[in-house]
Amino acid sequence: MAVEQRNRLADSLARLGTETAFSVLARARALEREGRDIIHLEIGEPDFDTPAHICDAGAAAIHAGHTHYCPSAGLIELREAAAAYLTRTRGLPIRPEHVLVANGAKPFLFFGILATCNPGDEVIYPDPGFPIYESAIAWSGATPVALPLHEERDFVFDPGELEARLNARTKLVILNSPQNPTGGVASRADLAAAAGLIAETDAWVLSDEVYSEMLYEGEFASIASEPGMLERTILLDGFSKTFAMTGWRCGYAAVPEALVDPLVRFFVNSTSCVPPFVQLAGVAALQGPMDDVAAMMAEFRARRALVVEGLNALPGVTCRMPRGAFYAFPNVSDTGIGADELARRLLDEMGVAVLAGSAFGQVGRDNLRLSYANSQQNLTAALERMREFLAENAG
Ligand SMILES: Cc1ncc(COP(=O)(O)O)c(C=O)c1O
């Protein structure tokens, strides 16, 4: 029976990974159903409501009848708005014909990799990094090549280590700044160095910039702005994080000419299109006031200070100051408890849901990821529970 069952599934499923945040969330919710009080620091989504003017635009579009199929590449209104936004924020001449719209940023990761990589190709990706990168690379049959992000470098790649991994088989380089799970932010100089190295190869670049507006210090830089890079870069952004729109499922990317048709074909074969009323809400987001985003970032900034200071005061825990996104990535190796075990026990024994760094690759295995998308009151309570746990258990 077991053998028959196995034979009915595709072998390729063995190569498909997952996102641990969703399984920890499911476990945390199960504990809540048993009556436990859980503080959620596991899931990577802003805890703010989508700004009202964006919701109004979406609702108005539904009532105006924008509820049917629409072009798979995206509505021209959103492609134009996104091109204007990317041109303004990246200082690049982005044309609407090069902008595509998908159901979140995620499809661009998956389909971008499938559209560019053959078995035997190598793909360089950040470790620790968003787990879907490695999953999609492995699914495509290409070889994942981890680029380590070290704590001593504030989780920004070392150009020398990038150089050591680039070769004639490198088909794609994935970069992500500001970064999930570390909050690391690459400087213009880091990206210029990377661009200089990549320019010597035939590799495509996938620059995941979904946290571009979530920066606490310094300036945002995109590798696409470096000489010769725009023509080979999938410049990826979306609505989920910046506008607290995770559930709307909408993202967009400026892609090189040669990738426009292949990516649209993936959309036609999978989701057909993004709901047009969602896209019209996206137009309102990109063209409307940014006050709500600024207010959200002011709150995240206060929480960042609270969380990082609180973590550094815990026995055996050290935490770098993240410069972007809304994650802290503390090192817990001096607690004497492995990070995987610590994450598990914090949830089971203290009701604090966090992720083990190993969910993001091998390099972060001594760390935890805390998403500070929760109230200052809950963050304070979570830190207190962690302090209590470590006071009893740290070695
Ligand atoms: C680095 C990174 N890229 C992409 C995504 C996916 O975002 P979306 O909701 O737009 O699919 C996430 C979500 O957590 C992320 O952290």
Side-chain angles (χ1 to χ4, degrees):
M1 191 64 177
V3 171
E4 251 175 52
Q5 193 67 34
R6 205 173 50 238
N7 288 346
R8 288 166 60 197
L9 297 175
D11 295 341
S12 53
L13 279 177
R15 301 198 306 270
L16 196 61
T18 187
E19 216 184 321
T20 310
F22 286 102
S23 32
V24 173
L25 178 65
R27 166 114 186 93
R29 293 262 187 256
L31 290 173
E32 275 171 333
R33 278 195 300 278
E34 289 169 16
R36 295 276 306 280
D37 167 37
I38 307 293
I39 302 177
H40 292 276
L41 307 181
E42 76 278 40
I43 200 84
E45 66 171 346
D47 54 316
F48 300 91
D49 291 334
T50 303
H53 69 279
I54 301 174
C55 295
D56 291 345
I62 290 179
H63 290 296
H66 295 282
T67 53
H68 298 271
Y69 288 138
C70 65
S72 297
L75 290 181
I76 191 62
E77 292 92 324
L78 181 53
R79 296 174 77 190
E80 283 176 354
Y85 171 81
L86 290 174
T87 298
R88 187 170 76 243
T89 53
R90 275 47 170 204
L92 286 168
I94 305 283
R95 303 208 332 253
E97 308 88 86
H98 285 192
V99 175
L100 300 177
V101 181
N103 307 80
K106 262 184 178 171
F108 285 106
L109 302 177
F110 210 85
F111 297 142
I113 290 166
L114 290 185
T116 52
C117 295
N118 291 312
D121 290 340
E122 294 185 1
V123 182
I124 298 176
Y125 70 103
D127 178 356
F130 189 48
I132 300 307
Y133 304 145
E134 192 188 352
S135 169
I137 298 163
W139 173 268
S140 77
T143 305
V145 177
L147 176 62
L149 306 183
H150 302 291
E151 217 161 317
E152 313 81 76
R153 290 185 54 83
D154 279 323
F155 302 110
V156 174
F157 62 86
D158 176 342
E161 291 190 310
L162 173 61
E163 185 172 19
R165 284 160 179 76
L166 284 166
N167 62 50
R169 288 183 302 280
T170 309
K171 198 63 173 295
L172 175 68
V173 179
I174 301 176
L175 299 175
N176 171 216
S177 173
Q179 218 250 347
N180 177 10
T182 64
V185 176
S187 68
R188 193 168 291 280
D190 295 319
L191 295 170
L197 297 165
I198 293 169
E200 300 294 311
T201 74
D202 282 336
W204 298 99
V205 176
L206 198 166
S207 184
D208 184 341
E209 304 179 6
V210 299
Y211 297 99
S212 61
E213 296 275 357
M214 308 196 126
L215 199 66
Y216 304 102
E217 47 204 77
E219 50 154 8
F220 172 73
S222 170
I223 192 165
S225 310
E226 298 301 320
M229 287 295 114
L230 184 57
E231 296 73 30
R232 59 166 86 206
T233 299
I234 299 173
L235 195 178
L236 176 58
D237 206 333
F239 295 96
S240 287
K241 315 291 172 172
T242 303
F243 299 101
M245 289 176 72
T246 48
W248 295 72
R249 307 310 303 135
C250 195
Y252 56 90
V255 311
E257 180 75 36
L259 288 178
V260 170
D261 286 342
L263 285 170
V264 171
R265 233 175 317 140
F266 274 109
F267 301 156
V268 172
N269 275 274
S270 54
T271 52
S272 293
C273 64
V274 177
F277 55 88
V278 168
Q279 296 192 53
L280 291 171
V283 172
L286 293 179
Q287 294 181 343
M290 294 293 276
D291 312 15
D292 291 304
V293 176
M296 177 172 80
M297 285 308 293
E299 176 60 21
F300 273 140
R301 182 185 292 276
R303 293 175 186 176
R304 176 181 75 138
L306 187 158
V307 167
V308 173
E309 191 180 320
L311 286 168
N312 279 314
L314 296 175
V317 178
T318 55
C319 185
R320 296 262 164 168
M321 184 61 83
R323 291 193 289 142
F326 44 83
Y327 308 110
F329 202 63
N331 186 310
V332 296
S333 52
D334 288 344
T335 62
I337 308 169
D340 287 346
E341 180 187 338
L342 184 56
R344 200 171 49 246
R345 291 182 64 191
L346 282 174
L347 177 57
D348 288 347
E349 298 175 34
M350 307 305 291
V352 179
V354 300
L355 299 184
S358 59
F360 302 90
Q362 270 310 295
V363 177
R365 63 185 174 278
D366 288 336
N367 298 64
L368 298 179
R369 190 195 78 169
L370 281 69
S371 160
Y372 44 90
N374 207 326
S375 66
Q376 296 191 40
Q377 192 183 354
N378 281 340
L379 291 168
T380 304
L383 287 163
E384 179 52 30
R385 290 185 195 183
M386 290 174 78
R387 196 196 56 73
E388 227 179 275
F389 179 86
L390 291 172
E392 283 218 349
N393 297 285

